[in-house]
């Protein structure tokens, strides 16, 4: 399948560049998605952050090199992208539990993390609930956006929501979100960028709600054109299974619009949903 081929080509690229510079933008382009979405997709599927996977592979090969060669430790450190013996030693010891210099001793234990590969696992015992929503009108959202560094998005976005609770933005959005319901997308929304292809070093993360009235002066407006959406209950679970189980076999592909995480009010079932923009293949 095209999706699996792209993902495994990415892994091949990483493997061939462990001794050099790995370009995260190029990785995302090879996977045909944004840096942020690829990082999220990778961690959801593999259970490990992309940066952590690359670090483990580099230090696995470094361990092999130390045991098989007489090369200087500093030369091996530089080979795998570390600019000092100290930084390499700390990373090596964190992964392997011993110092690089100790790895040459007879009988020591090291850890080897092999190259991973992506496959579709067919499971018939667990259904994946979804529905298709066709919104034939423009979504007009109001809220606030913050710049997020792409490579740090996983850490920065939760902190943005924590800040929204403290500064009153969350309460303001709640007060606005249930006025004049127009569609099922009525809740607190997290929108990543303005299009799927986020290739810059940073992007705007929008926290808002759907609202048709005149916005308060301190809130921004974001519009999303009419589109079809695949909607999944349970955001965390949906992210884990979206790319491995649903997209490859659904007959749909992702549209060039942002995914939306929707958090609903008290008493709503489910409590949250992932809205994914799609188009038929």
């Amino acid at each position: 399948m095209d999706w699996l081929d792209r993902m495994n080509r990415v892994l091949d690229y990483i493997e061939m560049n462990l001794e050099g510079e790995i370009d995260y933008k190029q990785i995302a382009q090879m996977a045909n998605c944004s840096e942020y979405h690829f990082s999220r997709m990778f961690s959801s599927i593999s259970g490990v952050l992309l940066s952590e996977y690359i670090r483990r592979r580099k230090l696995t090969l470094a361990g092999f090199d130390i045991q098989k060669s007489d090369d200087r430790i500093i030369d091996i450190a530089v080979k795998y992208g570390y600019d000092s013996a100290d930084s390499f030693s700390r990373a090596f010891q964190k992964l392997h539990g011993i110092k690089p210099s100790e790895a040459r001793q007879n009988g020591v234990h090291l850890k080897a993390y092999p190259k991973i590969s992506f496959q579709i696992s067919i499971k018939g015992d667990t259904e994946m609930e979804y529905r298709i929503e066709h919104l034939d009108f423009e979504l007009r959202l109001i809220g606030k956006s913050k710049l997020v560094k792409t490579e740090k998005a996983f850490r920065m976005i939760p902190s943005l929501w924590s800040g929204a609770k403290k500064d009153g933005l969350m309460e303001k959005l709640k007060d606005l979100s249930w006025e004049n319901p127009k569609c099922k997308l009525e809740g607190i929304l997290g929108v990543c960028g303005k299009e799927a292809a986020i290739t810059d070093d940073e992007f705007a993360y929008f926290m808002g709600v759907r609202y048709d009235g005149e916005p308060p002066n301190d809130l921004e407006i974001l519009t999303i054109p009419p589109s079809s959406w695949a909607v999944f209950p349970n955001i965390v679970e949906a992210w884990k299974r979206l790319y491995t189980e649903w997209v490859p076999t659904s007959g749909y592909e992702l549209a060039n619009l942002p995914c939306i995480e929707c958090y609903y009010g008290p008493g709503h079932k489910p409590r949250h949903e992932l809205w994914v923009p799609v188009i038929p293949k």
Side-chain angles (χ1 to χ4, degrees):
M1 293 186 179
D2 290 344
W3 176 84
L4 283 178
D5 290 340
R6 290 197 300 269
M7 293 298 293
N8 285 310
R9 281 199 297 270
V10 166
L11 292 170
D12 290 339
Y13 166 82
I14 291 173
E15 203 68 17
M16 289 187 296
N17 289 277
L18 289 172
E19 297 181 13
E21 195 72 26
I22 293 177
D23 188 335
Y24 283 75
K25 290 182 180 180
Q26 185 172 344
I27 286 177
Q29 290 171 355
M30 292 173 67
N32 197 29
C33 63
S34 71
E35 279 187 70
Y36 173 76
H37 282 122
F38 179 77
S39 295
R40 186 165 200 166
M41 173 173 59
F42 186 93
S43 64
S44 295
I45 297 169
S46 67
V48 62
L49 292 174
L50 176 61
S51 58
E52 176 64 14
Y53 170 72
I54 293 172
R55 185 183 75 89
R56 290 178 181 179
R57 287 297 297 141
K58 284 176 176 282
L59 292 171
T60 292
L61 298 187
F64 291 152
D65 285 358
I66 290 173
Q67 290 195 317
K68 294 189 301 181
S69 74
D70 295 324
D71 294 347
R72 296 187 307 161
I73 300 296
I74 184 59
D75 292 336
I76 294 174
V78 171
K79 178 180 179 180
Y80 292 104
Y82 291 87
D83 54 10
S84 72
D86 286 343
S87 62
F88 175 70
S89 181
R90 287 193 298 270
F92 192 92
Q93 188 166 6
K94 182 178 179 181
L95 185 76
H96 293 287
I98 61 173
K99 297 178 181 178
S101 59
E102 298 171 336
R104 285 187 166 137
Q105 296 175 9
N106 187 40
V108 299
H109 293 274
L110 296 180
K111 296 177 181 178
Y113 289 89
K115 175 191 172 186
I116 65 175
S117 62
F118 290 118
Q119 302 175 18
I120 293 180
S121 177
I122 304 301
K123 298 180 181 180
D125 59 341
T126 306
E127 73 277 4
M128 190 171 182
E129 183 179 342
Y130 78 96
R131 70 179 189 274
I132 300 296
E133 293 277 357
H134 302 287
L135 302 186
D136 58 1
F137 56 89
E138 181 181 78
L139 281 175
R140 183 174 183 271
L141 311 181
I142 63 170
K144 285 189 177 181
S145 60
K146 301 284 186 179
L147 286 180
V148 171
K149 291 187 179 298
T150 304
E151 62 180 10
K152 298 181 179 179
F154 285 108
R155 295 191 296 273
M156 292 184 68
I157 289 176
S159 68
L160 291 180
W161 284 112
S162 296
K165 291 180 181 178
K166 293 177 182 178
D167 65 17
L169 174 62
M170 180 75 81
E171 199 60 38
K172 179 179 290 188
L173 294 178
K174 287 181 180 179
D175 291 340
L176 295 169
S177 64
W178 296 296
E179 291 186 10
N180 303 320
K182 188 175 182 180
C183 65
K184 295 180 181 178
L185 194 65
E186 303 292 347
I188 306 297
L189 310 177
V191 184
C192 181
K194 294 187 177 181
E195 56 186 20
I198 301 172
T199 57
D200 295 329
D201 294 333
E202 58 184 17
F203 63 89
Y205 183 78
F206 187 88
M207 299 177 289
V209 294
R210 194 200 66 78
Y211 192 72
D212 290 330
E214 188 66 27
N217 293 331
D218 59 340
L219 296 182
E220 308 163 27
I221 297 175
L222 173 65
T223 57
I224 298 177
S227 181
S228 296
W229 303 81
V231 185
F232 305 88
N234 190 334
I235 290 171
V236 175
E237 185 68 17
W239 276 122
K240 288 181 179 179
R241 303 178 64 190
L242 174 67
Y243 298 102
T244 54
E245 299 180 41
W246 194 83
V247 171
T249 58
S250 67
Y252 289 93
E253 59 186 29
L254 301 187
N256 195 28
L257 292 170
C259 293
I260 301 176
E261 295 179 339
C262 185
Y263 300 90
Y264 296 108
H268 189 285
K269 293 184 179 181
R271 291 300 308 276
H272 41 76
E273 292 181 323
L274 177 64
W275 287 58
V276 179
V278 294
I279 54 176
K281 288 183 180 179

